[in-house]
Every structure is written in structure tokens, then in C-alpha cells.
Amino acid sequence: MNGISSYEWDDWKWQLANSLKGINGLKTLLNLDTDIDTDRCDAIDGLKEVIKRYPFKVSPYYASLCRLYGLNFKNPIFKQIVPSLNEISYPPHPLSSKDPFREGELSPVPSLIHRYSDRALLLATAQCASYCRHCNRKRHWIEPSVPTLLNRRYREMAMSYLAKNKAIREVILSGGDPFMLSTESIKRILSMIRAIRHIEVIRIGTRAPVTMPMRVTKGLVAMLKKFRPVWINTHFNHPLEITREATIAIDRLLCSGLPVSNQAVLLKGVNNSYEVLKGLFTGLQAIGVRPYYLFHCDPVMGADHFRTTIKEGIDIMDRLWGKIGGLCMPFYVFDLPDAEGKAILSQNHIISRENGYIYLKGMSGNVVKWEEKGHKQATKK
Ligand SMILES: *Cc1c(COP(=O)(O)O)cnc(C)c1O
Ligand code: SF4
């Protein structure tokens, strides 16, 4: 960008203050400042309706990455941040809803979601560096007051809930993006969590390394380091997002003893191919990030057009297995509607189980017959 010093560019507060937002921000990104192209301006009118429901926002960093690969929906970065008419006009899946996981109901106190007995999730903030069009919490973007830990009373209620529930051993800071808070605010939350003796592990879910890597400052990691074990879970969806800047951010986290793993989402037109996912998973491993989950696209209103079939996802994962190392392979999972939790989607290598035999599919397609019973008898003798 013209007239911006690298000092400003590398300052995450400058990035936040200069985010492209609303219809004007969208026009700037699309180079539509002068309104010459009537076809595209018509589309802009439609997009005004979309962003009334699901706002538009992108950091200058992620916008510049987007510009490198063309201003159209074939560009995987563009597709993740530029609103589409499909968000309001695509026929929703019958099970799609604003809140398919009933997070609202699983919230015993505001800003805390408790679905699994040993893990609790906290909503640190509703802010993000950029709004991803496929986001499963996009319902929050227009709610006037999402309950988050920014509210002092909610923060105290959440902490006393955690203190009372001795079965909770892991706390997940989520949002929004917790890294949008100031380092001081994050520190305050982490200190409160660490004061609860039975909490063993803190996990932070953030997309900042992808959409605003300059947020990962030396000051931030020096603070996080004091609260270890802290696991960072980030959200790369495409190998083009693994930039020099992102790599520096990841390296800072790793060098401070903060393990980094990745949750990607399988998105039609972004990463639903063997080549792209292979590049993503191996590229992540190469910068020290462990691919953890590949989510099947959630049945969330406004994101249905991103969904592939489960069969397509399983076929790709099946082809990858054996071609790339096990450390590059995430679990392909589907967060089930009706708060049923996550299901692992995989081509079962077990073909059948009969009379003490298990039939397994090998790499070349041959079936291997494994006798379980015989093995037990042999060890008894
Ligand atoms: C996914 C999820 C978790 C974390 O589950 P893991 O399998 O440990 O990653 C925790 N709480 C809620 C509400 C979730 O949706
Ligand atoms: S960063 Fe995460 S929470 Fe924020 S819009 Fe993207 S997917 Fe949603």
C-alpha cells in the first residue's frame, strides 16, 4: 500500500484501526471506488443486503494477501472474506440454523459453553481481525450484545463456575478471537483461570496468525509463556495463507513453548481438493503446526454454500492417508447438530468382524485377516 511505513504496517493496532469495513471497505477492496462498472455495482447493491445481516471486515494484511491472487471467487482468500449473495439466497440445509450446536442452551452462565464434562469453552470477545464468511458463530456478528468475558460480572460468574466444577481440566478461550484483546486483558483472564487449581490446561483458539500475524508480538508471547501449558489452536484453510509473516508468528509461539495446532474447515471452492489439502497439511507441518481437525462445514445459516458432501471429504482424506505422514493428518470431523458432539468421519479400514476375526483393508487394497482369538490363546499357554 502506498504511503504506509512498514512500522505502521507491522503494528497490529494500526491494522485494526485501518481495517476495511462496511460497503465502503468492500468497494475499496474490489477497486470499485469510481463506480464505473455497472454490472459489478448491481452486485454491490445485493451485497449491501448481505452485509446488513453478516457484516464485512478485513485487515489490511489479509486484504493485501487477497489482492495477490485476483479479485474473484476463484481466489481462495477472496472466497473466505468477500460476502456472497449465496449467504442470504442459497437454500439452507433442513438442519441448518443460526445456532445448530445449541450453544445458547449449553451455556450455564453467560459467556461459558459447557458441552463436554472435562472441557469448558469461554467467549473472550466477539471481535475478529477479519470476518470469515464460513464462520460458525456468524450469528454473533449482528447481535447487539454477545455475552463475553469483557463484561466484568460475566467474567466473575464464569470463573466461579469453573472453580465449582472440579471435573473441568481444560479451558478453551474462544470467541471471536481472544487475540483481539489487549495483552493486559488476556493476562487478566489467564491469571484468573490459573488461580483455579484443578484447571490443568489452557487452550486458545485464534485466527490472528492467519489474518493478522503482526498481533503475535514479542510482548504477547512473553506474557503467554508465564501461563503454560497453553496450547494454541489456529485456523489456516489454504497453503497460500502460510506466508512469511504467518511463519514468523508461528515461530514466536513455538519458541515460547506454546504448541500450535490447526483446525481447518473443508470449504467448497477454497480447499476441497487433494492437492490443496496436501499442500495445507504438509505446509503446516513444515512450519511446526500440527493439523488437528478438518471440520466438515457446519450446518450454519449463511454458510451452506460452502458445504461439500461428506463422501467428498472422506475420499480426499482416504487418498491422503499413506501419501503424507501421519503427523500431517488431522481428524476429519463433523460437529453434529442437536449438540450431539463431534463425530469422526473416516473410511473404516475394518471391513468386517466375524467369529474372532477382523478383516482389514491394506494399502494396496488387499484384505488382511487378523485372528484375535488365536492371539489370546497363544499368550495364555
Ligand atoms: C469442540 C468443542 C470443544 C473442544 O473439543 P476437542 O475435541 O477437545 O477439540 C469444547 N467445547 C465445545 C463446546 C466444543 O464445541
Ligand atoms: S476468526 Fe474465527 S470466530 Fe472470527 S470470523 Fe473467522 S472463523 Fe469466525
Side-chain angles (χ1 to χ4, degrees):
M1 276 200 200
N2 297 331
I4 297 156
S5 68
S6 69
Y7 178 78
E8 285 173 315
W9 186 261
D10 293 339
D11 176 359
W12 70 280
K13 290 192 174 145
W14 181 92
Q15 290 277 335
L16 265 190
N18 289 279
S19 295
L20 303 179
K21 280 190 270 198
I23 199 71
N24 289 334
L26 186 55
K27 282 185 168 181
T28 307
L29 178 69
L30 300 177
N31 293 332
L32 281 179
D33 282 351
T34 44
D35 281 354
I36 1 166
D37 188 337
T38 35
D39 281 351
R40 287 169 81 192
C41 292
D42 277 341
I44 276 284
D45 282 338
L47 293 185
K48 269 185 199 160
E49 290 306 308
V50 178
I51 66 178
K52 254 188 228 160
R53 184 131 24 126
Y54 305 116
F56 167 77
K57 179 181 172 187
V58 64
S59 68
Y61 163 82
Y62 203 59
S64 77
L65 188 64
C66 174
R67 285 200 175 95
L68 292 179
Y69 305 106
L71 294 175
N72 59 66
F73 282 111
K74 285 193 193 120
N75 167 352
I77 314 278
F78 188 94
K79 188 135 193 189
Q80 288 183 74
I81 47 157
V82 174
S84 146
L85 292 174
N86 282 328
E87 291 174 44
I88 53 174
S89 61
Y90 194 88
H93 188 279
L95 289 181
S96 278
S97 75
K98 284 184 195 161
D99 180 12
F101 314 122
R102 300 197 195 150
E103 289 186 339
E105 292 166 36
L106 291 170
S107 191
V109 296
S111 79
L112 185 147
I113 301 164
H114 196 188
R115 186 204 278 172
Y116 303 103
S117 59
D118 75 332
R119 284 153 285 166
L121 192 146
L122 298 176
L123 299 177
T125 167
Q127 296 296 308
C128 295
S130 300
Y131 286 136
C132 317
R133 308 319 298 180
H134 57 274
C135 178
N136 64 6
R137 296 212 182 98
K138 62 196 293 180
R139 69 180 189 279
H140 282 337
W141 301 350
I142 39 166
E143 272 174 37
S145 55
V146 183
T148 69
L149 298 184
L150 288 174
N151 178 307
R152 188 169 147 212
R153 208 168 60 85
Y154 293 163
R155 202 158 62 229
E156 282 163 5
M157 285 166 81
M159 295 305 157
S160 66
Y161 182 89
L162 294 177
K164 269 189 239 136
N165 285 269
K166 300 245 159 39
I168 299 174
R169 56 171 292 276
E170 176 170 2
V171 171
I172 302 164
L173 268 193
S174 181
D177 193 328
F179 281 3
M180 289 301 99
L181 300 178
S182 69
T183 302
E184 266 315 297
S185 302
I186 302 171
K187 184 177 172 187
R188 183 168 54 206
I189 295 169
L190 296 181
S191 314
M192 290 173 94
I193 298 171
R194 273 284 169 249
I196 303 167
R197 297 289 289 276
H198 59 269
I199 307 293
E200 296 169 12
V201 171
I202 299 173
R203 192 195 306 185
I204 301 179
T206 173
R207 209 178 185 204
V210 183
T211 56
M212 197 189 278
M214 44 292 279
R215 172 63 187 103
V216 185
T217 59
K218 287 180 186 152
L220 177 69
V221 296
M223 180 278 290
L224 293 174
K225 191 177 177 174
K226 299 198 180 113
F227 296 94
R228 291 175 62 215
V230 175
W231 295 67
I232 308 292
N233 222 346
T234 187
H235 179 174
F236 287 86
N237 283 330
H238 197 282
L240 292 177
E241 293 169 337
I242 307 174
T243 62
R244 192 181 63 88
E245 291 89 336
T247 304
I248 293 170
I250 296 299
D251 210 46
R252 270 196 186 149
L253 294 163
L254 295 175
C255 289
S256 305
L258 307 158
V260 186
S261 49
N262 189 69
Q263 301 193 161
V265 185
L266 183 62
L267 300 169
K268 195 193 280 178
V270 174
N271 59 13
N272 60 328
S273 79
Y274 172 83
E275 287 72 25
V276 171
L277 286 184
K278 185 178 173 196
L280 176 64
F281 299 152
T282 55
L284 287 170
Q285 191 207 21
I287 61 166
V289 176
R290 171 77 160 103
Y292 172 53
Y293 279 153
L294 171 69
F295 277 100
H296 190 62
C297 186
D298 291 325
V300 169
M301 296 245 284
D304 286 289
H305 58 292
F306 279 112
R307 190 171 316 107
T308 63
T309 59
I310 289 179
K311 180 181 182 306
E312 182 177 357
I314 289 179
D315 287 348
I316 297 172
M317 293 300 282
D318 224 28
R319 276 181 70 197
L320 286 169
W321 178 247
K323 295 288 187 312
I324 60 178
L327 277 178
C328 304
M329 288 292 287
F331 284 113
Y332 175 35
V333 294
F334 187 22
D335 210 338
L336 300 173
D338 291 340
E340 286 292 330
K342 297 174 183 79
I344 296 178
L345 304 174
S346 93
Q347 187 63 53
N348 206 336
H349 284 245
I350 296 175
I351 296 169
S352 65
R353 272 188 257 206
E354 290 160 27
N355 309 325
Y357 290 103
I358 294 192
Y359 296 82
L360 297 141
K361 191 178 73 179
M363 234 165 67
S364 61
N366 289 340
V367 176
V368 175
K369 181 176 168 186
W370 175 256
E371 185 179 4
E372 290 208 293
K373 240 160 119 198
H375 182 68
K376 259 191 211 148
Q377 283 166 352
T379 50
K380 243 189 239 164
K381 264 196 267 170

